[in-house]
Amino acid sequence: MLTALGVLGAIGLLVVLFLQRGRDGIDLSLGGLLRLYLYLASLAGVIAFAIGVAGIISYVLAAAFGLDVIYGGPRPNIEPAFPVQACPPGTTCPPFPSPITSQFVPAPDDRVRQQADDLVRGVTFVIFGGVFWAAHWWARRALAGVADRASGLHRAYLVLGTAIFGIATIALLPMGIYQALSIAIVPPNQFTFRPGAGDALSGGLAALPLWLGYLWLVQRALRTAPPTSPTVA
């Protein structure tokens, strides 16, 4: 979901900036296009970092509260039926395996592998997203300096990040908490499979601090923005 919101947000950022051409928006020079790329790449790095954090949170929550809460109930292991000896009278039946001599080996729990995959995915995306964001943040600072914080492109980047992670938080976190409480409180039914709360809960917990961080940056930009002079009719 974070990836889809990031793509939609990037498209919205491009539309808004091109509509603001001639004011304080984007210019089509090489420097302006480079700044636009750096902001979009920075946002992509933050989204990749959030995906990685969500994977690590899923692994930690599964280790702390059990696989059922995060990945749902265990998959059923169906023991194969053994054939019944039915031979004609007066004939010798061939040997059949019996439940006493044959040992049923259940299939391994695939949720354990899913938990390990979440950890590997989380560490990979956290490292890659963090390095990717840091490289483009350094490039933005080297290209435009601190004065770039007052530009319309920087303000649009902050508002877009606030919107993406705010929508992800309100869409994922309540659903994840509901699913976790349902698994913990509502008695299970042996004939139904209840999905785990891992994707929604971990995604919401990963998006929450990023949303608060972007919201704080927007408020700081509003406090430090120079007052606009009134227009004379």
Side-chain angles (χ1 to χ4, degrees):
M1 182 177 181
L2 290 175
T3 305
L5 289 175
V7 173
L8 294 177
I11 296 174
L13 177 63
L14 291 175
V15 172
V16 171
L17 291 178
F18 275 103
L19 289 178
Q20 289 183 348
R21 287 178 56 190
R23 297 176 56 193
D24 190 26
I26 185 175
D27 59 84
L28 295 180
S29 64
L30 181 60
L33 294 177
L34 179 59
R35 289 175 59 240
L36 175 61
Y37 158 75
L38 291 176
Y39 275 107
L40 291 178
S42 298
L43 185 60
V46 177
I47 293 176
F49 181 84
I51 294 174
V53 172
I56 296 177
I57 291 176
S58 294
Y59 176 85
V60 173
L61 292 178
F65 300 103
L67 299 175
D68 293 349
V69 178
I70 304 302
Y71 302 112
R75 280 61 170 175
N77 282 316
I78 302 176
E79 185 173 355
F82 291 93
V84 179
Q85 296 184 4
C87 301
T91 61
T92 303
C93 293
F96 284 95
S98 62
I100 299 177
T101 59
S102 300
Q103 184 178 4
F104 171 68
V105 179
D109 195 346
D110 58 345
R111 298 176 302 170
V112 177
R113 177 179 176 83
Q114 186 176 358
Q115 183 187 17
D117 287 341
D118 282 339
L119 178 61
V120 175
R121 172 175 58 88
V123 173
T124 303
F125 273 77
V126 163
I127 295 176
F128 179 80
V131 172
F132 196 76
W133 174 85
H136 288 83
W137 175 84
W138 175 83
R140 285 193 286 116
R141 294 294 299 269
L143 180 65
V146 183
D148 189 56
R149 294 180 179 178
S151 65
L153 186 59
H154 182 76
R155 293 194 297 267
Y157 163 75
L158 294 181
V159 172
L160 180 60
T162 305
I164 289 176
F165 293 108
I167 294 174
T169 301
I170 195 61
L172 296 177
L173 190 56
M175 179 60 67
I177 294 176
Y178 153 71
Q179 291 176 341
L181 292 178
S182 176
I183 294 175
I185 298 175
V186 179
N189 188 346
Q190 60 177 345
F191 300 106
T192 59
F193 173 76
R194 293 194 299 183
D199 292 338
L201 185 59
S202 61
L205 291 176
L208 177 61
L210 293 173
W211 168 60
L212 294 176
Y214 271 100
L215 186 61
W216 177 79
L217 291 175
V218 170
Q219 292 177 344
R220 188 185 69 171
L222 290 176
R223 289 193 299 265
T224 58
T228 57
S229 58
T231 58
V232 179

